[in-house]
Amino acid sequence: YKNGQISESRPRNFSYLHSLDSLKLAERLERQCLEINKRMPVLLEFNVSGEESKSGWLANEESQWESLLPEVSTILALEYLDVQGLMTMPPLSASIEEARGYFQKTRALRDYLTKQLGGIPLHQLSMGTSSDYPIAIEEGATMVRIGTAILGSRPVVA
C-alpha cells in the first residue's frame, strides 16, 4: 500500500492492512481479495487531529462522526474485508498530554461506531509510536508502532 494505492503485488503478499483510509481503497482491496479468495484483516484509519497532512477519515470533531456511519457500514458489509478496529496517528509535534487527548478521542470514536453500528466488534486500537506508546497503552492501544525505538531515526521523506 503506497499513496492511497494498493501495489501491483496485490494482497497475496501481505496479511494485514493497518491503514485503510477510504471507501475507494476498501472497494479496490475487496475486488483484489475476491480474485484470490483471501479474507483480509484491516484497521480503519481516522484523522482525529484534523491535520491536513494526515490520511484517514476526518474525525476531529464529534459532530462529524455521524457522517462517517454510511461509509463505515458499507465497508463492514464487504465480504473479504475483516474490519478489526481503528488506527490513528497524533501530530508529530504533539506533547505526551496532547497525544493522550487524540488517543482518548480515537477510543471514544471506536465506542461510538460500535454502539451506532449494532455492537460490531472493533477490538483493535492501533495508536502510539516510540515517543508516546506508554500513554497510548494507558488509553487502550492494542497495537503500537515503535519503529524508531527499534531501528533508530530515519530521514524524513517529503
Side-chain angles (χ1 to χ4, degrees):
Y1 173 75
K2 183 177 180 184
N3 297 325
Q5 300 293 318
I6 297 171
S7 73
E8 290 304 315
S9 63
R10 305 231 176 179
R12 70 176 52 91
N13 294 332
F14 58 95
S15 60
Y16 206 117
L17 181 61
H18 290 251
S19 56
L20 182 60
D21 63 2
S22 70
L23 178 57
K24 180 180 177 181
L25 178 60
E27 290 170 338
R28 175 180 272 171
L29 183 59
E30 172 77 2
R31 286 190 303 274
Q32 292 184 357
C33 286
L34 170 67
E35 288 177 16
I36 61 171
N37 193 32
K38 179 178 182 176
R39 191 151 163 81
M40 178 68 64
V42 299
L43 298 177
L44 303 180
E45 182 176 358
F46 289 92
N47 178 346
V48 297
S49 68
E51 279 185 288
E52 288 185 24
S53 64
K54 295 281 188 250
S55 297
W57 284 273
L58 189 60
N60 58 314
E61 300 292 333
E62 283 188 45
S63 61
Q64 299 164 316
W65 293 1
E66 186 175 354
S67 68
L68 302 170
L69 296 174
E71 285 194 12
V72 173
S73 293
T74 299
I75 293 169
L76 289 169
L78 296 174
E79 183 178 354
Y80 287 89
L81 298 188
D82 178 15
V83 178
Q84 297 192 343
L86 280 54
M87 186 278 263
T88 198
M89 288 288 296
L92 290 175
S93 62
S95 70
I96 295 295
E97 285 309 308
E98 288 171 329
R100 182 186 301 277
Y102 297 120
F103 301 148
Q104 289 171 339
K105 188 178 288 185
T106 302
R107 188 181 68 232
L109 173 59
R110 188 264 323 261
D111 295 346
Y112 172 84
L113 292 172
T114 296
K115 181 179 179 184
Q116 295 300 312
L117 297 170
I120 56 166
L122 297 171
H123 301 296
Q124 303 298 335
L125 280 177
S126 177
M127 49 190 197
T129 63
S130 296
S131 64
D132 55 23
Y133 75 89
I135 299 300
I137 291 168
E138 286 178 14
E139 296 303 334
T142 59
M143 296 179 179
V144 293
R145 292 170 302 283
I146 54 170
T148 300
I150 296 169
L151 303 171
S153 296
R154 292 167 308 283
V156 176
V157 177

PDB file of all heavy atoms in Angstrom, residues 114-141:
ATOM      1  N   THR A 114     -19.059   1.397  17.442  1.00  0.00           N
ATOM      2  CA  THR A 114     -19.551   0.106  17.923  1.00  0.00           C
ATOM      3  C   THR A 114     -21.023   0.207  18.312  1.00  0.00           C
ATOM      4  O   THR A 114     -21.842  -0.628  17.915  1.00  0.00           O
ATOM      5  CB  THR A 114     -18.708  -0.379  19.119  1.00  0.00           C
ATOM      6  OG1 THR A 114     -17.371  -0.596  18.661  1.00  0.00           O
ATOM      7  CG2 THR A 114     -19.252  -1.659  19.714  1.00  0.00           C
ATOM      8  N   LYS A 115     -21.369   1.240  19.060  1.00  0.00           N
ATOM      9  CA  LYS A 115     -22.748   1.419  19.510  1.00  0.00           C
ATOM     10  C   LYS A 115     -23.688   1.712  18.345  1.00  0.00           C
ATOM     11  O   LYS A 115     -24.762   1.098  18.230  1.00  0.00           O
ATOM     12  CB  LYS A 115     -22.826   2.548  20.539  1.00  0.00           C
ATOM     13  CG  LYS A 115     -24.212   2.789  21.084  1.00  0.00           C
ATOM     14  CD  LYS A 115     -24.216   3.887  22.113  1.00  0.00           C
ATOM     15  CE  LYS A 115     -25.638   4.116  22.620  1.00  0.00           C
ATOM     16  NZ  LYS A 115     -25.694   5.241  23.564  1.00  0.00           N
ATOM     17  N   GLN A 116     -23.304   2.637  17.488  1.00  0.00           N
ATOM     18  CA  GLN A 116     -24.177   3.052  16.391  1.00  0.00           C
ATOM     19  C   GLN A 116     -24.360   1.972  15.330  1.00  0.00           C
ATOM     20  O   GLN A 116     -25.357   1.964  14.625  1.00  0.00           O
ATOM     21  CB  GLN A 116     -23.641   4.331  15.728  1.00  0.00           C
ATOM     22  CG  GLN A 116     -23.640   5.541  16.635  1.00  0.00           C
ATOM     23  CD  GLN A 116     -25.039   5.884  17.119  1.00  0.00           C
ATOM     24  OE1 GLN A 116     -25.985   5.948  16.357  1.00  0.00           O
ATOM     25  NE2 GLN A 116     -25.161   6.108  18.420  1.00  0.00           N
ATOM     26  N   LEU A 117     -23.409   1.074  15.218  1.00  0.00           N
ATOM     27  CA  LEU A 117     -23.459   0.057  14.170  1.00  0.00           C
ATOM     28  C   LEU A 117     -23.793  -1.319  14.733  1.00  0.00           C
ATOM     29  O   LEU A 117     -23.384  -2.345  14.209  1.00  0.00           O
ATOM     30  CB  LEU A 117     -22.137   0.041  13.391  1.00  0.00           C
ATOM     31  CG  LEU A 117     -21.850   1.357  12.655  1.00  0.00           C
ATOM     32  CD1 LEU A 117     -20.436   1.370  12.102  1.00  0.00           C
ATOM     33  CD2 LEU A 117     -22.871   1.608  11.560  1.00  0.00           C
ATOM     34  N   GLY A 118     -24.550  -1.326  15.803  1.00  0.00           N
ATOM     35  CA  GLY A 118     -25.120  -2.574  16.315  1.00  0.00           C
ATOM     36  C   GLY A 118     -24.171  -3.468  17.080  1.00  0.00           C
ATOM     37  O   GLY A 118     -24.316  -4.688  17.052  1.00  0.00           O
ATOM     38  N   GLY A 119     -23.213  -2.889  17.762  1.00  0.00           N
ATOM     39  CA  GLY A 119     -22.335  -3.694  18.600  1.00  0.00           C
ATOM     40  C   GLY A 119     -21.236  -4.422  17.849  1.00  0.00           C
ATOM     41  O   GLY A 119     -20.745  -5.447  18.320  1.00  0.00           O
ATOM     42  N   ILE A 120     -20.850  -3.923  16.688  1.00  0.00           N
ATOM     43  CA  ILE A 120     -19.787  -4.567  15.924  1.00  0.00           C
ATOM     44  C   ILE A 120     -18.518  -4.662  16.772  1.00  0.00           C
ATOM     45  O   ILE A 120     -18.196  -3.758  17.521  1.00  0.00           O
ATOM     46  CB  ILE A 120     -19.477  -3.791  14.620  1.00  0.00           C
ATOM     47  CG1 ILE A 120     -19.126  -2.341  14.954  1.00  0.00           C
ATOM     48  CG2 ILE A 120     -20.597  -3.898  13.634  1.00  0.00           C
ATOM     49  CD1 ILE A 120     -18.496  -1.591  13.828  1.00  0.00           C
ATOM     50  N   PRO A 121     -17.798  -5.762  16.670  1.00  0.00           N
ATOM     51  CA  PRO A 121     -16.574  -5.890  17.465  1.00  0.00           C
ATOM     52  C   PRO A 121     -15.403  -5.178  16.786  1.00  0.00           C
ATOM     53  O   PRO A 121     -14.938  -5.589  15.731  1.00  0.00           O
ATOM     54  CB  PRO A 121     -16.348  -7.408  17.517  1.00  0.00           C
ATOM     55  CG  PRO A 121     -16.988  -7.927  16.277  1.00  0.00           C
ATOM     56  CD  PRO A 121     -18.141  -6.998  15.971  1.00  0.00           C
ATOM     57  N   LEU A 122     -14.962  -4.103  17.374  1.00  0.00           N
ATOM     58  CA  LEU A 122     -13.780  -3.372  16.904  1.00  0.00           C
ATOM     59  C   LEU A 122     -12.752  -3.431  18.040  1.00  0.00           C
ATOM     60  O   LEU A 122     -12.585  -2.484  18.788  1.00  0.00           O
ATOM     61  CB  LEU A 122     -14.136  -1.923  16.549  1.00  0.00           C
ATOM     62  CG  LEU A 122     -15.123  -1.726  15.398  1.00  0.00           C
ATOM     63  CD1 LEU A 122     -15.559  -0.270  15.293  1.00  0.00           C
ATOM     64  CD2 LEU A 122     -14.521  -2.210  14.097  1.00  0.00           C
ATOM     65  N   HIS A 123     -12.096  -4.566  18.168  1.00  0.00           N
ATOM     66  CA  HIS A 123     -11.240  -4.824  19.324  1.00  0.00           C
ATOM     67  C   HIS A 123      -9.891  -4.133  19.266  1.00  0.00           C
ATOM     68  O   HIS A 123      -9.285  -3.884  20.306  1.00  0.00           O
ATOM     69  CB  HIS A 123     -11.017  -6.328  19.491  1.00  0.00           C
ATOM     70  CG  HIS A 123     -12.279  -7.096  19.678  1.00  0.00           C
ATOM     71  ND1 HIS A 123     -13.102  -6.925  20.767  1.00  0.00           N
ATOM     72  CD2 HIS A 123     -12.890  -8.019  18.894  1.00  0.00           C
ATOM     73  CE1 HIS A 123     -14.153  -7.721  20.663  1.00  0.00           C
ATOM     74  NE2 HIS A 123     -14.053  -8.387  19.530  1.00  0.00           N
ATOM     75  N   GLN A 124      -9.407  -3.843  18.067  1.00  0.00           N
ATOM     76  CA  GLN A 124      -8.055  -3.299  17.941  1.00  0.00           C
ATOM     77  C   GLN A 124      -8.048  -1.766  17.890  1.00  0.00           C
ATOM     78  O   GLN A 124      -8.868  -1.165  17.205  1.00  0.00           O
ATOM     79  CB  GLN A 124      -7.374  -3.845  16.675  1.00  0.00           C
ATOM     80  CG  GLN A 124      -7.300  -5.346  16.602  1.00  0.00           C
ATOM     81  CD  GLN A 124      -6.498  -5.976  17.725  1.00  0.00           C
ATOM     82  OE1 GLN A 124      -5.618  -5.355  18.326  1.00  0.00           O
ATOM     83  NE2 GLN A 124      -6.806  -7.222  18.029  1.00  0.00           N
ATOM     84  N   LEU A 125      -7.125  -1.194  18.615  1.00  0.00           N
ATOM     85  CA  LEU A 125      -6.850   0.242  18.555  1.00  0.00           C
ATOM     86  C   LEU A 125      -5.352   0.392  18.315  1.00  0.00           C
ATOM     87  O   LEU A 125      -4.546   0.110  19.203  1.00  0.00           O
ATOM     88  CB  LEU A 125      -7.233   0.945  19.858  1.00  0.00           C
ATOM     89  CG  LEU A 125      -8.696   1.275  20.067  1.00  0.00           C
ATOM     90  CD1 LEU A 125      -8.915   1.893  21.447  1.00  0.00           C
ATOM     91  CD2 LEU A 125      -9.206   2.210  18.986  1.00  0.00           C
ATOM     92  N   SER A 126      -4.991   0.784  17.107  1.00  0.00           N
ATOM     93  CA  SER A 126      -3.592   0.985  16.759  1.00  0.00           C
ATOM     94  C   SER A 126      -3.289   2.465  16.881  1.00  0.00           C
ATOM     95  O   SER A 126      -3.736   3.279  16.067  1.00  0.00           O
ATOM     96  CB  SER A 126      -3.327   0.499  15.333  1.00  0.00           C
ATOM     97  OG  SER A 126      -1.988   0.749  14.973  1.00  0.00           O
ATOM     98  N   MET A 127      -2.557   2.808  17.919  1.00  0.00           N
ATOM     99  CA  MET A 127      -2.227   4.206  18.173  1.00  0.00           C
ATOM    100  C   MET A 127      -1.024   4.238  19.090  1.00  0.00           C
ATOM    101  O   MET A 127      -0.868   3.393  19.960  1.00  0.00           O
ATOM    102  CB  MET A 127      -3.417   4.956  18.777  1.00  0.00           C
ATOM    103  CG  MET A 127      -4.099   4.301  19.951  1.00  0.00           C
ATOM    104  SD  MET A 127      -5.640   5.132  20.367  1.00  0.00           S
ATOM    105  CE  MET A 127      -5.886   4.493  22.031  1.00  0.00           C
ATOM    106  N   GLY A 128      -0.151   5.174  18.837  1.00  0.00           N
ATOM    107  CA  GLY A 128       1.045   5.291  19.637  1.00  0.00           C
ATOM    108  C   GLY A 128       2.280   4.946  18.841  1.00  0.00           C
ATOM    109  O   GLY A 128       2.259   4.075  17.972  1.00  0.00           O
ATOM    110  N   THR A 129       3.356   5.680  19.122  1.00  0.00           N
ATOM    111  CA  THR A 129       4.635   5.494  18.453  1.00  0.00           C
ATOM    112  C   THR A 129       5.721   5.381  19.519  1.00  0.00           C
ATOM    113  O   THR A 129       5.431   5.417  20.716  1.00  0.00           O
ATOM    114  CB  THR A 129       4.943   6.691  17.528  1.00  0.00           C
ATOM    115  OG1 THR A 129       5.058   7.867  18.328  1.00  0.00           O
ATOM    116  CG2 THR A 129       3.860   6.881  16.481  1.00  0.00           C
ATOM    117  N   SER A 130       6.950   5.292  19.074  1.00  0.00           N
ATOM    118  CA  SER A 130       8.071   5.166  20.013  1.00  0.00           C
ATOM    119  C   SER A 130       8.061   6.270  21.067  1.00  0.00           C
ATOM    120  O   SER A 130       8.459   6.046  22.209  1.00  0.00           O
ATOM    121  CB  SER A 130       9.405   5.207  19.261  1.00  0.00           C
ATOM    122  OG  SER A 130       9.505   4.098  18.404  1.00  0.00           O
ATOM    123  N   SER A 131       7.602   7.449  20.699  1.00  0.00           N
ATOM    124  CA  SER A 131       7.655   8.582  21.629  1.00  0.00           C
ATOM    125  C   SER A 131       6.479   8.654  22.600  1.00  0.00           C
ATOM    126  O   SER A 131       6.570   9.343  23.610  1.00  0.00           O
ATOM    127  CB  SER A 131       7.747   9.896  20.848  1.00  0.00           C
ATOM    128  OG  SER A 131       6.578  10.083  20.074  1.00  0.00           O
ATOM    129  N   ASP A 132       5.386   7.955  22.323  1.00  0.00           N
ATOM    130  CA  ASP A 132       4.212   8.122  23.178  1.00  0.00           C
ATOM    131  C   ASP A 132       3.460   6.817  23.473  1.00  0.00           C
ATOM    132  O   ASP A 132       2.357   6.842  23.991  1.00  0.00           O
ATOM    133  CB  ASP A 132       3.245   9.139  22.563  1.00  0.00           C
ATOM    134  CG  ASP A 132       2.838   8.790  21.145  1.00  0.00           C
ATOM    135  OD1 ASP A 132       2.919   7.610  20.750  1.00  0.00           O
ATOM    136  OD2 ASP A 132       2.439   9.707  20.413  1.00  0.00           O
ATOM    137  N   TYR A 133       4.077   5.684  23.181  1.00  0.00           N
ATOM    138  CA  TYR A 133       3.352   4.424  23.336  1.00  0.00           C
ATOM    139  C   TYR A 133       2.895   4.122  24.762  1.00  0.00           C
ATOM    140  O   TYR A 133       1.821   3.526  24.942  1.00  0.00           O
ATOM    141  CB  TYR A 133       4.125   3.242  22.729  1.00  0.00           C
ATOM    142  CG  TYR A 133       5.303   2.791  23.547  1.00  0.00           C
ATOM    143  CD1 TYR A 133       5.149   1.826  24.535  1.00  0.00           C
ATOM    144  CD2 TYR A 133       6.568   3.316  23.341  1.00  0.00           C
ATOM    145  CE1 TYR A 133       6.220   1.415  25.297  1.00  0.00           C
ATOM    146  CE2 TYR A 133       7.638   2.909  24.089  1.00  0.00           C
ATOM    147  CZ  TYR A 133       7.469   1.955  25.070  1.00  0.00           C
ATOM    148  OH  TYR A 133       8.526   1.557  25.819  1.00  0.00           O
ATOM    149  N   PRO A 134       3.629   4.516  25.829  1.00  0.00           N
ATOM    150  CA  PRO A 134       3.096   4.221  27.170  1.00  0.00           C
ATOM    151  C   PRO A 134       1.733   4.881  27.409  1.00  0.00           C
ATOM    152  O   PRO A 134       0.827   4.273  27.990  1.00  0.00           O
ATOM    153  CB  PRO A 134       4.162   4.765  28.123  1.00  0.00           C
ATOM    154  CG  PRO A 134       5.428   4.741  27.320  1.00  0.00           C
ATOM    155  CD  PRO A 134       4.982   5.098  25.926  1.00  0.00           C
ATOM    156  N   ILE A 135       1.576   6.117  26.931  1.00  0.00           N
ATOM    157  CA  ILE A 135       0.306   6.825  27.083  1.00  0.00           C
ATOM    158  C   ILE A 135      -0.760   6.158  26.216  1.00  0.00           C
ATOM    159  O   ILE A 135      -1.908   5.999  26.637  1.00  0.00           O
ATOM    160  CB  ILE A 135       0.466   8.316  26.698  1.00  0.00           C
ATOM    161  CG1 ILE A 135       1.487   9.000  27.602  1.00  0.00           C
ATOM    162  CG2 ILE A 135      -0.874   9.044  26.707  1.00  0.00           C
ATOM    163  CD1 ILE A 135       1.155   8.996  29.068  1.00  0.00           C
ATOM    164  N   ALA A 136      -0.385   5.763  24.998  1.00  0.00           N
ATOM    165  CA  ALA A 136      -1.336   5.083  24.104  1.00  0.00           C
ATOM    166  C   ALA A 136      -1.856   3.806  24.753  1.00  0.00           C
ATOM    167  O   ALA A 136      -3.059   3.525  24.710  1.00  0.00           O
ATOM    168  CB  ALA A 136      -0.675   4.780  22.755  1.00  0.00           C
ATOM    169  N   ILE A 137      -0.971   3.057  25.369  1.00  0.00           N
ATOM    170  CA  ILE A 137      -1.390   1.816  26.038  1.00  0.00           C
ATOM    171  C   ILE A 137      -2.326   2.133  27.202  1.00  0.00           C
ATOM    172  O   ILE A 137      -3.350   1.463  27.387  1.00  0.00           O
ATOM    173  CB  ILE A 137      -0.157   1.004  26.490  1.00  0.00           C
ATOM    174  CG1 ILE A 137       0.573   0.468  25.246  1.00  0.00           C
ATOM    175  CG2 ILE A 137      -0.559  -0.137  27.425  1.00  0.00           C
ATOM    176  CD1 ILE A 137       1.949  -0.114  25.521  1.00  0.00           C
ATOM    177  N   GLU A 138      -1.995   3.165  27.980  1.00  0.00           N
ATOM    178  CA  GLU A 138      -2.884   3.578  29.075  1.00  0.00           C
ATOM    179  C   GLU A 138      -4.270   3.918  28.544  1.00  0.00           C
ATOM    180  O   GLU A 138      -5.265   3.706  29.235  1.00  0.00           O
ATOM    181  CB  GLU A 138      -2.319   4.806  29.799  1.00  0.00           C
ATOM    182  CG  GLU A 138      -1.149   4.526  30.690  1.00  0.00           C
ATOM    183  CD  GLU A 138      -0.607   5.792  31.340  1.00  0.00           C
ATOM    184  OE1 GLU A 138      -1.290   6.852  31.319  1.00  0.00           O
ATOM    185  OE2 GLU A 138       0.523   5.726  31.870  1.00  0.00           O
ATOM    186  N   GLU A 139      -4.350   4.446  27.327  1.00  0.00           N
ATOM    187  CA  GLU A 139      -5.626   4.875  26.752  1.00  0.00           C
ATOM    188  C   GLU A 139      -6.291   3.802  25.902  1.00  0.00           C
ATOM    189  O   GLU A 139      -7.259   4.066  25.216  1.00  0.00           O
ATOM    190  CB  GLU A 139      -5.431   6.161  25.950  1.00  0.00           C
ATOM    191  CG  GLU A 139      -4.998   7.336  26.793  1.00  0.00           C
ATOM    192  CD  GLU A 139      -5.952   7.669  27.931  1.00  0.00           C
ATOM    193  OE1 GLU A 139      -7.166   7.355  27.837  1.00  0.00           O
ATOM    194  OE2 GLU A 139      -5.504   8.260  28.936  1.00  0.00           O
ATOM    195  N   GLY A 140      -5.759   2.576  25.925  1.00  0.00           N
ATOM    196  CA  GLY A 140      -6.451   1.462  25.290  1.00  0.00           C
ATOM    197  C   GLY A 140      -5.823   0.889  24.035  1.00  0.00           C
ATOM    198  O   GLY A 140      -6.405  -0.002  23.413  1.00  0.00           O
ATOM    199  N   ALA A 141      -4.642   1.351  23.641  1.00  0.00           N
ATOM    200  CA  ALA A 141      -3.998   0.812  22.441  1.00  0.00           C
ATOM    201  C   ALA A 141      -3.747  -0.680  22.596  1.00  0.00           C
ATOM    202  O   ALA A 141      -3.292  -1.141  23.642  1.00  0.00           O
ATOM    203  CB  ALA A 141      -2.691   1.537  22.164  1.00  0.00           C
TER     204      ALA A 141
END
